[in-house]
Amino acid sequence: MRAPDWSAKLGVGVLVIAALGIGRLVGDELPDVSDSSAPFLRHAAVAEEVELRAGTVRVSSVEMAPLAMSSTEGYLTPGLWLLVTFDYTPREQPGTIRHTRLHDAEGTRSWDQGRGRITCTPTPPGLPSRCAALIEAPAEALVGSTLQLGANLWDIRYDDLAVIDLGITEQDVTAAQEREDWIEVPRPTVGVRRG
Amino acid sequence: MWGRGTGSGPQPRYAKPRPSPWSQPVQWLLKEPVRVGYLLAALALALSWPFGGWRSAAPEALPVGEPGTVLSAAPYELSVERVFHSERPGSGFLEMEDGSYVVLLGTLRSTHTEPTSISIMREAIQVDDLPRQLDGIGRPVSQVFAGRPEIYSAEDQTPMTSIGPDLEHPVAWVWRTGARELPDTLHFTIHAHTWRESSLEFDMQWLDPAPAATVELPLTYQEPWRPEEGDQR
């Protein structure tokens, strides 16, 4: 006797649902794509060199003030301007630092250059340059903050990033808030000697 | 004793059972299980009919924002103060000869933990009834971008490109128009976004801007900014 048509269809449906369930279980056990593609972080302090895939970077100075001046414009902020100057030497291909991201001490909030800027220009392999990143952030967030530097602007998956402990204290922030002068954003220089 | 029809001889005559009027439709229905699904869907639709069926629900009235009050529109908190038009609202703008800038002043603060981009900021507040909108080089604004402003810091007139968390910026939302005559009042719609995974890029993003509040403000005129003697701007 032939089995009813719909019992066979029901069986197929059950098999499909079971296959989907197993697929979901396997998928849940695999690492999340954001974890597996996360950048490699190279921690360092100010004045320490960091070897990255694309080159070598070293932060040379950190400065803060409520007002920043470039050669053409002045920038006010409801927080503080942070100016980080660094040297970068590309290794095998022409390049520069394009990615900057400031994180607070807890690592839960972050700021990019926004209205600020990165002054870097690409240089050939082996030729160092000195440039700066200007970022605005709330004053309270700067204490204990770290700065990420990388060679790719947006896509930092699988790349490595320098994570610089800027060494900013509460006293530094208070002193910066009381400054009546301003930060001068320096023009980038090429061929600077490290030191 | 009645046999089972195997014997020869005369067969008894008895009344054939009368079939139920439902038996044939029920058999037809059960022949294909999908037909049961269709029936249930049709029943659900029929039951929803007295409550409106597939008719669009009347949109809920949006809250009306007042000048100076803080409006929440994820991922931002913003307030508006006043709106004016001018041929040159400040030194950072070139004078418009065949039109004017419409400038909405207020504050903008991001509540997100990471920087949000200018495209999200531009979707957050849009003008509803500004005629003949122009883009930055004087062309009519395409329908897709109609109502979306340029955004500047109100303190130093530098363009906003992204905004990080917990910084309350005084901002100027700026539109350009080629209209000779402008309305006495302008209406703005505040849009809130939803933090969800993008179905195209598979990462979390602020998407789906949806109206969250409206603001109506009188449009005033402001004399164009003029450089002082010796000022080259």
Side-chain angles (χ1 to χ4, degrees), chain A residues 5-6 9 33 73-79 101 108-115 136-138 140, chain B residues 30-33 113-115 153 155-162 164-170 202:
Chain A
D5 284 344
W6 63 317
K9 290 176 181 172
V33 68
E73 290 174 304
Y75 300 88
L76 291 161
T77 175
R101 184 64 77 93
T108 52
R109 296 177 297 165
S110 66
W111 296 262
D112 62 8
Q113 70 268 23
R115 290 191 304 138
E136 65 180 329
E140 45 82 21
Chain B
L30 295 179
K31 194 174 178 185
E32 292 285 340
T113 54
E114 296 175 6
S153 162
E155 288 194 317
D156 55 27
Q157 298 174 34
T158 52
M160 307 285 291
T161 54
S162 65
D166 299 332
L167 282 169
E168 186 173 284
H169 284 276
F202 305 107

Side-chain angles (χ1 to χ4, degrees), chain A residues 7-124:
Chain A
S7 65
K9 290 176 181 172
L10 193 67
V12 171
V14 169
L15 281 176
V16 168
I17 290 170
L20 288 171
I22 291 169
R24 178 61 188 260
L25 284 174
V26 172
D28 286 350
E29 290 304 312
L30 294 174
D32 189 84
V33 68
S34 61
D35 293 332
S36 58
S37 63
F40 299 91
L41 304 179
R42 317 284 186 207
H43 293 266
V46 173
E48 288 179 359
E49 281 195 349
V50 184
E51 298 288 338
L52 299 177
R53 171 192 60 80
T56 305
V57 67
R58 188 185 74 102
V59 168
S60 54
S61 69
V62 177
E63 205 177 350
M64 295 175 292
L67 176 62
M69 298 287 284
S70 71
S71 55
T72 55
E73 290 174 304
Y75 300 88
L76 291 161
T77 175
L80 278 175
W81 285 108
L82 169 74
L83 182 76
V84 179
T85 308
F86 50 88
D87 301 323
Y88 180 71
T89 309
R91 181 169 294 114
E92 292 178 357
Q93 293 182 336
T96 188
I97 293 291
R98 296 186 186 281
H99 173 86
T100 59
R101 184 64 77 93
L102 179 76
H103 287 264
D104 65 7
E106 291 77 32
T108 52
R109 296 177 297 165
S110 66
W111 296 262
D112 62 8
Q113 70 268 23
R115 290 191 304 138
R117 56 179 59 191
I118 309 174
T119 63
C120 307
T121 54
T123 57

Side-chain angles (χ1 to χ4, degrees), chain B residues 40-183:
Chain B
L40 291 175
L43 278 174
L45 277 178
L47 287 174
S48 73
W49 192 261
F51 306 100
W54 276 0
R55 272 177 294 165
S56 301
E60 287 183 26
L62 292 172
V64 178
E66 295 295 326
T69 59
V70 175
L71 301 165
S72 275
Y76 304 114
E77 287 178 350
L78 55 89
S79 68
V80 297
E81 300 292 339
R82 65 187 180 93
V83 60
F84 65 88
H85 67 100
S86 174
E87 291 84 1
R88 190 178 186 189
S91 62
F93 298 86
L94 293 174
E95 184 155 345
M96 287 183 74
E97 293 177 355
D98 296 320
S100 59
Y101 299 89
V102 171
V103 181
L104 173 64
L105 296 175
T107 61
L108 181 66
R109 176 179 173 273
S110 170
T111 58
H112 188 46
T113 54
E114 296 175 6
T116 53
S117 71
I118 183 67
S119 60
I120 310 295
M121 293 158 70
R122 293 185 69 202
E123 287 172 342
I125 185 164
Q126 297 178 36
V127 67
D128 298 330
D129 44 10
L130 179 65
R132 290 202 61 202
Q133 289 174 51
L134 304 176
D135 66 14
I137 54 173
R139 298 174 307 186
V141 168
S142 72
Q143 202 62 33
V144 176
F145 297 106
R148 298 187 193 183
E150 303 162 34
I151 309 176
Y152 297 86
S153 162
E155 288 194 317
D156 55 27
Q157 298 174 34
T158 52
M160 307 285 291
T161 54
S162 65
I163 185 170
D166 299 332
L167 282 169
E168 186 173 284
H169 284 276
V171 293
W173 291 278
V174 177
W175 294 263
R176 300 168 197 239
T177 174
R180 297 273 179 202
E181 290 189 8
L182 293 172

